[in-house]
Amino acid sequence: MVATPTVRRRMLGAELRKIREALDLTVDEVASRLGWHQSKVSRLETGRSGVRANEVGIMLDVYQVTDPETREALAALAREGKRRVWWQPYSDVISQRYASFISFEAEAVSARNFESSLVPGLLQTGDYARSLIRQLRPDAAPEVVNALVDVRLARQNAALQREDPLNLWAIVDESALRRMVGNRTIMARQLHQLITASKEPHVTLQVVPFEAGAHPGIHGSFVILEFPVRNDLDVVYTEALTSSLYLERDDDVGAYSKAFDRLRAAALDVGPSRRLITQIAKESE
């Protein structure tokens, strides 16, 4: 299975780091007392590796944390961080970076997504996704393409159809709506799907028209994922051809949040955005 830095791991690591720092202990001192390598403690605190519930108990013994509720809450985070995930059967076809993104998205309460060239993944039709994947991975076997489409659709279901659906605020550049992916029929259906999705109460969709000129999204697409309770766990995700980047520092998240706000201002409101999508869909039919 592809290892993923789930939000629960990050929460556990943040809490353990806070306890350690309150005791004025260094990572090296804790590792020495536990008989662990320093890197294990460091990776645990950053959520980059999991830990067993009994190991959390041993750490809390070192930290002299005796409160039963605190001990159980942190042990529960350790157990939940290792739970089976829905995308596990696809671990042979999805990359580490994609699995990491899915793990974050699965636990986020909201996502602010700007797309400069393509329809947002959570709003793509199966045919659009299949045509896109074939273009991006021309050497992929048909069964791999089908599996990746299944993952895309499963992501949509897991995020937007769950009991408490993800609040998605998507902003797309007009070029993403006019770029032909597949054929005219596929594009027309995709655009109509966007119109339908935009009417859902948990989906906000805006379009940045060509007339807006240069805008903050000109540098590329990005997603800001927000999580419940702790806003210091929020992340920005950006992706290039061969790499992806998670930004977690407050300054970075703040900068992208301001860029998204500027994009909201540059974009058409929801109603005019829907009318523009409808117009482009008619041109595609």
Side-chain angles (χ1 to χ4, degrees), residues 21-35:
E21 291 175 345
L23 295 172
D24 200 25
L25 293 171
T26 67
V27 170
D28 286 339
E29 288 172 333
V30 171
S32 177
R33 294 186 187 188
L34 292 168

Side-chain angles (χ1 to χ4, degrees), residues 204-261:
T204 301
L205 179 62
Q206 291 182 268
V207 178
V208 181
F210 288 145
E211 290 79 5
H215 54 71
I218 208 76
H219 296 295
S221 304
F222 61 89
V223 182
I224 306 171
L225 294 172
E226 301 170 334
F227 302 94
V229 183
R230 298 184 59 117
N231 59 14
D232 59 339
L233 295 177
D234 295 351
V235 297
V236 175
Y237 176 81
T238 64
E239 188 175 72
L241 181 62
T242 60
S243 64
S244 59
L245 182 65
Y246 289 99
L247 303 172
E248 304 177 43
R249 292 173 47 199
D250 290 344
D251 289 348
D252 292 327
V253 176
Y256 274 88
S257 293
K258 290 179 180 178
F260 194 84
D261 288 342

Side-chain angles (χ1 to χ4, degrees), residues 105-272:
E105 183 182 73
E107 301 196 34
V109 293
S110 68
R112 287 172 286 168
N113 182 193
F114 170 72
E115 291 292 339
S116 60
S117 303
L118 300 168
V119 170
L122 288 178
L123 301 178
Q124 293 177 7
T125 66
D127 287 339
Y128 181 99
R130 180 171 285 101
S131 298
L132 178 61
I133 292 167
R134 283 173 175 165
Q135 288 297 314
L136 297 179
R137 300 186 58 173
D139 298 329
E143 59 270 21
V144 172
V145 173
N146 290 336
L148 291 173
V149 173
D150 288 344
V151 171
R152 185 69 51 87
L153 298 179
R155 270 183 56 208
Q156 295 174 11
N157 184 67
L160 301 178
Q161 303 300 322
R162 66 197 190 198
E163 185 176 352
D164 294 314
L166 179 79
N167 288 306
L168 174 63
W169 195 313
I171 301 177
V172 297
D173 192 278
E174 184 176 344
S175 61
L177 307 177
R178 294 189 179 278
R179 176 166 286 101
M180 187 67 64
V181 174
N183 54 43
R184 296 175 69 87
T185 299
I186 289 173
M187 281 305 302
R189 290 174 178 169
Q190 174 62 78
L191 294 171
H192 283 297
Q193 167 62 18
L194 287 178
I195 295 168
T196 299
S198 72
K199 298 176 182 178
E200 293 291 335
H202 52 279
V203 176
T204 301
L205 179 62
Q206 291 182 268
V207 178
V208 181
F210 288 145
E211 290 79 5
H215 54 71
I218 208 76
H219 296 295
S221 304
F222 61 89
V223 182
I224 306 171
L225 294 172
E226 301 170 334
F227 302 94
V229 183
R230 298 184 59 117
N231 59 14
D232 59 339
L233 295 177
D234 295 351
V235 297
V236 175
Y237 176 81
T238 64
E239 188 175 72
L241 181 62
T242 60
S243 64
S244 59
L245 182 65
Y246 289 99
L247 303 172
E248 304 177 43
R249 292 173 47 199
D250 290 344
D251 289 348
D252 292 327
V253 176
Y256 274 88
S257 293
K258 290 179 180 178
F260 194 84
D261 288 342
R262 291 172 61 195
L263 284 164
R264 286 171 52 189
L268 299 172
D269 288 337
V270 172

Side-chain angles (χ1 to χ4, degrees), residues 26-64:
T26 67
V27 170
D28 286 339
E29 288 172 333
V30 171
S32 177
R33 294 186 187 188
L34 292 168
W36 295 352
H37 194 280
Q38 178 270 342
S39 64
K40 178 174 180 176
V41 178
S42 179
R43 289 176 62 81
L44 191 160
E45 289 190 351
T46 57
R48 300 304 173 186
S49 65
V51 63
R52 293 189 295 272
N54 68 305
E55 291 179 315
V56 171
I58 293 171
M59 293 187 74
L60 295 178
D61 288 341
V62 168
Y63 296 153
Q64 298 182 359

Side-chain angles (χ1 to χ4, degrees), residues 7-21:
V7 174
R8 287 177 173 83
R9 284 186 187 176
R10 295 174 68 217
M11 290 177 64
L12 174 60
E15 292 299 325
L16 291 173
R17 183 177 65 253
K18 184 167 64 175
I19 294 171
R20 174 181 61 76
E21 291 175 345

